[in-house]
Amino acid sequence: MMKKNFNRYKINGILSKFLVVVFGAMITFSGCKRSYLQPEPLSLFDPDQTFSTRAGLDAAMAISDRHLRSYWTYFEYTDLGLPISTEYMFSDVAVAAKTDDGGIFADIATRLTPTDMPERVSYFWNETYNGIKYANTILTYIDRVDGLDQATKDQYKGRALFHRSFRYLALAFQFKDVPLITKILESPKVNFKSTKREAILEMITADMEQAVQWVPEQAQMSLVGLINKGACRQLLIKCYLATGQYDKAIQQADLLINGSAYTLMNNNFGTFINPYSEAWPVTRNVIWDLHRPENKAINANKETILVMPNRLNTDMGIKMNTMRNWLPLIDNAATATPSGGQAVFFYPRTNSGNANANYRAQYDYVRSLGRGIGHIRPTYFAQKSLWVVNGVNDAGDLRHSTAAGNWVTMESLKYNNPANTTWFGQNVRLRSATGTLLSTDTIRNYFDWPHYKYYIEDANETLNTNEANHRGGAGDWYFYRLAETYLLRAEAKFYKGDIAGATADVNAIRTRAKCTQFYTAVTIGDIMNERARELNMEEWRFTELSRVSYCLANSGKADEFGRTYTVANLATNSYWFQRIQFYNDFYNKNKVSVRNRSYTMAPHNISWPIPQSAINANTGNKLSQNQGYSGYNAGVDIFQTWQEAVADESK
């Protein structure tokens, strides 16, 4: 609710874990500075006093940085339902898969309403406005802090502008026209109006132009996880794309790619981690090294622009449960051998050492791969056809290579019950020799996945000999890296009509992945496909598809289907929806239902509904509801410029 989120007296609650947050949100190359951990205790109860000190501002900044990670991890440990998973349910590459859940979020077209926002849809609204509040706290109080020179104040302002702009960019492409708040309010306000998306994009673009000037390069900083100039440039590129300023987007990308300390990692580097090679061997390769949590924040990794530190067994660690959320439910009777009986079991290591023992190290899939429960699952497109380029399944692509150990197919696993002497040690299969389906739940139990992305070891579980779980621990995660910069530059060049330049940028990513197939002339579809291959679970897939749909419509360029679009009609006809229709084999195909819920998506779902709770709390004005949802009224007055919205905050 707006009134709660922006009342200045609500910000005290965020300080109750001051020491933990300050310590946990950022790390140094050699360790945290002691002085950064010593607040003035009495100041925690008065925001005017707290945020008039540098320690108080550092706390607010640390909260902002740590809050970024919550979109992937949630703000505390959660067994299922990572926020990022919801983003992927609205995309071409994944759907909800927990088939024992009567409320499975499959029937999105009819289910998603202003009063029913399943999974983490409402989380993105509430937590994104919380993130804006944290940024506005810094911007509101920074000039009241004594003893800071102007350059230091500007750095704080630049980082706060990043945090606010990142969140408004997300809101603009998840929820469209939203209330614009740029400061901490002195008293409750219940007469907000929505601000036009274009106006918000204009404001955050100007803010990020300023932030790029103020925030230093990572090389000039000792802290990792604190916003740096490279991250500001990356966000500014997206702002320029959204406002149709393609030359400026290319210029910023050029500075990152050619004029900064960043470079694609093309060779092996860092520490080689392959802890259970007897069961799942990995042939060392650059893609594997690049995505080891242990290698993401090290100096040798020149591709990292911004990393989100997340360390197991520390105050800053939150277990992500990546394998539990994103892997199939393998150890389940729903998948059987051709002769009957469960196909794969997860045995504790204590079940070994005698003639009747079932544990075999070479079939220890729970530790080497993880124990999944299939909260979401990839589409056929994401597993198979995405990897076909020029009509060829590119076997050289390391991101899809089972031979290298990076990608797992169910068929690469072995039946591992020693009691089943007929099939023990043979490869798992989906059908028997006569064609009988051997899995009774292929939605949740039978699909492929990128092991190199999802494997985060939880040593607390894997080293426990009595444990038959491995759900996924805490691990550093990429926020921005240079590979995305190439693909953003390719997008800008595509809109400008520089197809050769766009093609070269996409092929640079494919070259690093050791592909054998390369593009000769990319479409916007090829660029978005490469994003799906390269940035799985890093990008916000739905938000990026929504942004690109908007950008493509603005550009007047055609998509891979030969269609063009208009911004005014995106709620009825968008590039995002065409990709859903063409690539996602679940939504609107009438092939399968779960718990009497069919997989459906509607064109208007390109914008999520404004929560009814926010509308109800805003008693002094009408907020604009999005087209296709209950309460939509095209006549509701909204601010056409960001200057109007900012001026209204003072009323």
Side-chain angles (χ1 to χ4, degrees), residues 150-456:
Q150 192 59 47
T152 301
K153 287 184 178 181
D154 288 344
Q155 288 183 28
Y156 279 97
K157 290 178 182 178
R159 292 185 175 109
L161 288 173
F162 174 94
H163 282 291
R164 192 171 71 188
S165 298
F166 171 80
R167 289 165 176 83
Y168 270 121
L169 186 72
L171 287 172
F173 291 111
Q174 289 173 330
F175 295 95
K176 194 173 178 280
D177 304 329
V178 300
L180 181 65
I181 300 105
T182 64
K183 65 181 182 180
I184 296 296
L185 303 179
E186 295 296 325
S187 60
K189 182 177 174 65
V190 294
N191 63 340
F192 286 97
K193 288 167 59 174
S194 303
T195 299
K196 189 177 181 180
R197 172 163 56 186
E198 287 73 11
I200 292 174
L201 294 174
E202 179 187 341
M203 187 195 79
I204 65 174
T205 301
D207 284 348
M208 289 313 303
E209 288 175 334
Q210 190 64 74
V212 164
Q213 299 302 314
W214 283 340
V215 177
E217 297 279 7
Q218 181 64 61
Q220 300 171 288
M221 298 159 49
S222 60
L223 293 171
V224 174
L226 187 65
I227 303 304
N228 56 46
K229 190 183 293 291
C232 291
R233 289 198 193 284
Q234 191 92 318
L235 181 54
L236 181 55
I237 293 169
K238 295 188 182 187
C239 291
Y240 280 146
L241 288 171
T243 54
Q245 300 179 77
Y246 310 131
D247 286 329
K248 289 184 178 180
I250 293 168
Q251 181 185 35
Q252 291 297 319
D254 287 345
L255 287 169
L256 278 174
I257 293 169
N258 303 316
S260 303
Y262 306 107
T263 185
L264 291 179
M265 300 303 295
N266 289 303
N267 299 301
N268 299 343
F269 71 98
T271 304
F272 179 50
I273 308 293
N274 186 203
Y276 301 98
S277 58
E278 192 171 357
W280 191 262
V282 174
T283 301
R284 189 173 189 183
N285 62 86
V286 65
I287 295 297
W288 178 260
D289 284 349
L290 185 65
H291 292 281
R292 292 309 85 228
E294 298 84 353
N295 292 336
K296 290 180 179 178
I298 63 175
N299 286 331
N301 188 344
K302 304 301 183 184
E303 188 166 331
T304 300
I305 295 176
L306 182 64
V307 71
M308 296 175 286
N310 189 22
R311 303 294 171 84
L312 191 67
N313 298 329
T314 70
D315 287 336
M316 66 178 168
I318 297 179
K319 293 182 181 180
M320 286 186 68
N321 277 16
T322 50
M323 289 96 86
R324 183 165 176 79
N325 278 263
W326 302 335
L327 267 60
L329 183 59
I330 299 172
D331 62 328
N332 185 273
T335 303
T337 69
S339 60
Q342 188 168 317
V344 177
F345 290 84
F346 290 162
Y347 299 110
R349 284 188 292 178
T350 51
N351 196 328
S352 62
N354 61 71
N356 296 319
N358 291 317
Y359 177 83
R360 301 288 191 279
Q362 67 269 37
Y363 303 130
D364 188 356
Y365 297 128
V366 68
R367 289 169 185 81
S368 61
L369 301 176
R371 184 167 204 155
I373 200 169
H375 185 79
I376 63 173
R377 60 105 70 211
T379 58
Y380 181 87
F381 168 69
Q383 297 174 79
K384 307 293 185 183
S385 51
L386 174 64
W387 305 93
V388 174
V389 175
N390 300 327
V392 176
N393 181 31
D394 195 335
D397 194 330
L398 285 173
R399 300 164 300 186
H400 196 236
S401 175
T402 302
N406 290 344
W407 184 272
V408 183
T409 66
M410 290 295 294
E411 294 80 10
S412 60
L413 307 182
K414 311 280 188 182
Y415 297 119
N416 70 344
N417 180 5
N420 190 331
T421 56
T422 301
W423 296 100
F424 178 66
Q426 294 194 40
N427 290 84
V428 172
R429 60 195 69 182
L430 181 60
R431 296 183 181 275
S432 70
T434 59
T436 301
L437 191 65
L438 299 175
S439 178
T440 59
D441 186 352
T442 57
I443 293 176
R444 190 181 188 186
N445 293 58
Y446 209 98
F447 55 82
D448 308 345
W449 72 94
H451 177 52
Y452 74 94
K453 272 283 179 79
Y454 296 171
Y455 186 79
I456 303 176

Side-chain angles (χ1 to χ4, degrees), residues 430-537:
L430 181 60
R431 296 183 181 275
S432 70
T434 59
T436 301
L437 191 65
L438 299 175
S439 178
T440 59
D441 186 352
T442 57
I443 293 176
R444 190 181 188 186
N445 293 58
Y446 209 98
F447 55 82
D448 308 345
W449 72 94
H451 177 52
Y452 74 94
K453 272 283 179 79
Y454 296 171
Y455 186 79
I456 303 176
E457 185 176 17
D458 181 352
N460 299 331
E461 289 187 340
T462 58
L463 297 180
N464 183 348
T465 57
N466 295 309
E467 182 67 77
N469 266 310
H470 186 201
R471 290 161 282 206
D476 291 356
W477 205 255
Y478 289 120
F479 189 84
Y480 286 150
R481 59 187 173 92
L482 196 66
E484 185 183 14
T485 316
Y486 276 85
L487 297 174
L488 290 170
R489 189 170 70 174
E491 186 185 337
K493 290 177 178 178
F494 173 81
Y495 297 144
K496 277 180 59 67
D498 180 8
I499 303 303
T503 302
D505 280 339
V506 174
N507 284 339
I509 304 304
R510 297 189 62 76
T511 298
R512 190 269 294 283
K514 313 303 180 189
C515 296
T516 60
Q517 297 296 314
F518 297 93
Y519 291 108
T520 55
V522 295
T523 64
I524 192 63
D526 297 326
I527 295 170
M528 294 311 294
N529 288 353
E530 199 64 32
R531 288 189 68 97
R533 299 180 192 108
E534 183 68 21
L535 301 172
N536 183 6
M537 288 302 170

Side-chain angles (χ1 to χ4, degrees), residues 598-650:
S598 297
Y599 285 91
T600 60
M601 190 78 76
H604 70 264
N605 295 138
I606 190 172
S607 296
W608 295 346
I610 306 300
Q612 193 63 43
S613 58
I615 294 174
N616 293 343
N618 194 58
T619 56
N621 251 325
K622 290 281 188 181
L623 293 182
S624 176
Q625 183 56 272
N626 285 316
Q627 185 174 342
Y629 300 104
S630 175
Y632 168 68
N633 180 353
V636 171
D637 185 37
I638 68 175
F639 290 124
Q640 298 296 311
T641 70
W642 63 265
Q643 290 90 345
E644 291 177 273
V646 171
D648 184 73
E649 291 182 86
S650 300

Side-chain angles (χ1 to χ4, degrees), residues 42-118:
L42 294 178
S43 71
L44 302 184
F45 302 98
D46 181 357
D48 284 330
Q49 187 174 350
T50 296
F51 297 117
S52 64
T53 68
R54 184 164 187 168
L57 285 177
D58 284 340
M61 190 66 73
I63 291 168
S64 296
D65 291 325
R66 181 167 178 163
H67 183 263
L68 286 177
R69 192 185 66 194
S70 71
Y71 294 109
W72 284 263
T73 64
Y74 200 61
F75 61 82
E76 62 185 3
Y77 174 81
T78 183
D79 184 43
L80 293 173
L82 301 176
I84 193 68
S85 297
T86 299
E87 270 274 330
Y88 280 71
M89 291 178 187
F90 283 83
S91 80
D92 48 355
V93 296
V95 296
K98 199 167 178 290
T99 52
D100 64 348
D101 182 2
I104 185 172
F105 196 28
D107 47 344
I108 294 175
T110 54
R111 178 88 172 279
L112 183 64
T113 70
T115 56
D116 187 4
M117 302 173 74

